Structures are given as structure tokens and as C-alpha cells.
Amino acid sequence: MIEVNDLTKAYGDTVVLDGLNFAVDSGEIFAVVGPSGAGKSTLAQCINLLERPTSGSVVVNGEDLTRLSYKQLRVARRRIGTVFQSSSLLSRRTAAENIALPLEYLGVTKGEAERRVRELLDRVGLTDRANAYPFQLSGGQRQRVGIARALALRPSVLLSDEATSGLDPQSTSSVVALLRELRDDLNLAIVFITHEMNTVLEIADSVARLDRGSIVESGRLVDLLTDHASALGRDLQPRRLDGDAKSGDAVWVVTYDSPDVPADWIGRVAADLGAPVSLLGASVQVVGGVSIGSATIGVAKDLSAHVPATLARYGLQTSSQHDARTLGVVA
Ligand SMILES: Nc1ncnc2c1ncn2[C@@H]1O[C@H](COP(=O)(O)OP(=O)(O)OP(=O)(O)O)[C@@H](O)[C@H]1O
């Protein structure tokens, strides 16, 4: 497990990370989301101690890495494997040779390294691409090689710094599936840093939002998605808008997590309001075994005062009435 306690990083007078606290258990994926400039890269560098925090600690399996000497740190750093955005593979080395790099640095015998590389290639599903050079691999395959290399020294923590950014949706899904598999099979604690909300929904057990160097909201993904007061939970909901709101309609985002919500709730809500309800988009997401539904509906603006209570009657919640323009709906 990894714990980050009161972590602060300043460059001169500029405080880039301001007193961050979180813990990630073995077998858990913790996502950190945040806009550009929030401090995500700096956090990644402080976690693997490429940058020394100004104050605070990074504790891996009970050992405070920030207290170690440079020499001790070189050994302790093996407990954290890092995967970067572009996987930074050496272009003149094959996939297998790239994965072998950390083993070579460590002075592992040739035979032992070859055995371990074979194991790792199999682990990431690239046995048949062992002798391919990076330019012969797809973006998703290169990231798999990067993941295998990060696992070479059997770390207990995997740090993923924008590892899926820039990948197409299919490659992203395959890398996400691999990381979830590794979480479960190797019981890794994974810190997944990203600016992509969609990926968080696919991968995270817990999530924190970093904004201007501080964690402004955090929690278990399933709790955030079902907490109607959570701004992060709302931002994580997939938005599917298939239709346009009618002129004169207000747009509402409705969420539900209860199996008791009747399947024909739209018809019933319309009947209660005595006016049509248009379904503009809907999705159902299964997070941690819980089905979380999200729908976007349009209802005549003059009925707005009655909408929340009518929805609540059927176990449906809406946090607020949304401006159609912010949701990309033409009102
Ligand atoms: N070496 C440095 N000296 C001074 N300021 C720095 C340094 N490194 C980063 N910063 C500042 O820290 C802030 C956070 O930068 P960081 O790169 O960690 O953000 P980020 O969330 O990773 O952004 P992005 O998603 O755009 O990469 C920025 O305002 C940046 O200018």
C-alpha cells in the first residue's frame, strides 16, 4: 500500500502541491484527475521520488521513502513501477529488450532475465511481439510493453502517469483492462493519474480531484456517483445526449441507483406532471457491482418547480436544473 501524508511541493515561493493526503491499498486503483496545471505531473514525480517533496511523506508498505538517503532510495524505488504517457521505450531495442532494461541495470543473470521477460510478455499478452521494435507496435501495444517494463522488478505500487492519454478508445480500453487484471492478480496498489474523466469511470475504485495543488474532493467512485451533492460525481457521469431539447423545455440530469425505480418511470413522471417528458439521452454504468443510471430529460420550463419532487416519488434524483447550453443541447 502507499500513503501520501501532508505532501507539499514548492518551487521557490510557488506552492505547486499543498498538503495532499491519501492512501491506496493493495488491490485498489486510485485515480487522480485534474485540469492542466493542477499539479498531476508534479505529484507523480513526488510519488516516485524523482522530485523530493518540500515537506510531508510518501510511505510504501510502512517505509517512509522521503527519509531515505539517495543510496537507500535507489533500492526502495523498485517498489514503485512507473508507466508514462508515451511509454518512453528505446527505439533501437525490441519489446523484449526494453522490458529487460531494469533487470540489466540490476545485474540479473542473462538466463534469469530472459525467463522473467518471457513471463512479463505473457502477462501483458505480447508473447508474439517479443522481437518487434517500438515503431512496429500500436500505441496500445507500446503501453503494454511500458507496463511490463514497470513490473520487471516486482513492484507493489504501480504509478500510471497519463498512461492512456492520447490512445484511441479501443487501446485505452485494452490498457484499462490490463491494469484492472494486474490490480487483481498481483494485488497492486495503482495510482492512476489522468485528465480524462471517461477513463476514470472505467478504471477507478476511488478518485480524487486535484485542483491548483489541492485535493478538492475525493471518495469511492460508487459513492461519488450516487451522491447527488457531489460535483465530482456529477462530472464523472457519462453524458449521452441523443436528442435536442424542445424550445421552452428545461433540461434535467436524472440519476438513479436503485433497482426499485420502475422501468416506465418516464411515462409515470409525464402523467404526474400532466405534460410530456422528452428523453434526450440515457446510459447505465455498472460500478462496483451497482448499476447507476443516468438520463437527460426535457420538461416544460413552467413545470420546473414540480420536477424534483415528482422524480423523487419514483426513487429518481436530480441535483439541479441544467442550462441546456452547458450540456450541448440546443434549447
Ligand atoms: N520546476 C518547476 N518550477 C516552477 N514551477 C513549476 C515547476 N514544475 C511545475 N511547475 C508549476 O506547477 C504547476 C503544476 O504543474 P504540473 O505540470 O504538475 O501540472 P499538471 O496537472 O501535470 O498539468 P498538465 O496536465 O498540463 O501536464 C504549474 O503551474 C507549473 O507551472
Side-chain angles (χ1 to χ4, degrees), residues 1-214:
M1 95 174 269
I2 178 164
E3 283 171 69
V4 166
N5 303 309
D6 279 329
L7 182 82
T8 294
K9 178 71 186 175
Y11 293 103
D13 292 340
T14 312
V15 178
V16 175
L17 299 175
D18 191 6
L20 305 189
N21 286 289
F22 60 83
V24 188
D25 272 330
S26 302
E28 188 191 6
I29 300 179
F30 179 80
V32 179
V33 276
S36 180
K40 302 183 299 297
S41 305
T42 309
L43 173 61
Q45 286 167 347
C46 286
I47 288 177
N48 62 21
L49 273 296
L50 288 173
E51 282 282 352
R52 287 263 181 186
T54 306
S55 62
S57 61
V58 176
V59 181
V60 175
N61 300 338
E63 185 175 24
D64 183 352
L65 303 192
T66 43
R67 286 172 174 271
L68 302 179
S69 67
Y70 180 71
K71 204 169 154 200
Q72 291 168 320
L73 187 58
R74 275 183 51 189
V75 178
R77 215 187 256 133
R78 289 180 206 146
R79 281 181 229 137
I80 304 176
T82 306
V83 194
F84 303 96
Q85 174 164 9
S86 52
S87 72
S88 54
L89 303 179
L90 297 183
S91 58
R92 289 165 184 244
R93 283 184 160 239
T94 63
E97 288 165 352
N98 267 286
I99 297 170
L101 264 180
L103 300 162
E104 284 172 23
Y105 289 144
L106 201 63
V108 170
T109 63
K110 197 156 177 270
E112 173 62 16
E114 280 172 7
R115 197 186 55 75
R116 179 83 183 121
V117 168
R118 266 199 305 277
E119 217 174 82
L120 287 160
L121 280 164
D122 179 50
R123 178 77 262 178
V124 301
L126 286 177
T127 300
D128 57 341
R129 308 296 284 143
N131 298 317
Y133 287 90
F135 77 91
Q136 296 170 314
L137 299 170
S138 70
Q141 287 172 333
R142 282 199 290 273
Q143 282 309 66
R144 284 170 173 264
V145 175
I147 291 170
R149 185 183 54 189
L151 294 176
L153 303 182
R154 303 182 195 279
S156 54
V157 176
L158 189 67
L159 172 64
S160 158
D161 185 9
E162 300 281 3
T164 56
S165 304
L167 294 182
D168 60 73
Q170 211 178 342
S171 302
T172 297
S173 293
S174 89
V175 170
V176 162
L178 174 62
L179 291 175
R180 291 171 63 119
E181 224 174 87
L182 297 172
R183 168 197 63 186
D184 298 339
D185 295 353
L186 306 180
N187 205 28
L188 288 173
I190 300 181
V191 182
F192 186 86
I193 296 177
T194 184
H195 67 277
E196 299 171 329
M197 288 287 194
N198 289 351
T199 315
V200 171
L201 205 55
E202 281 186 59
I203 198 168
D205 298 302
S206 298
V207 52
R209 169 137 67 188
L210 191 63
D211 198 4
R212 280 171 282 178
S214 299

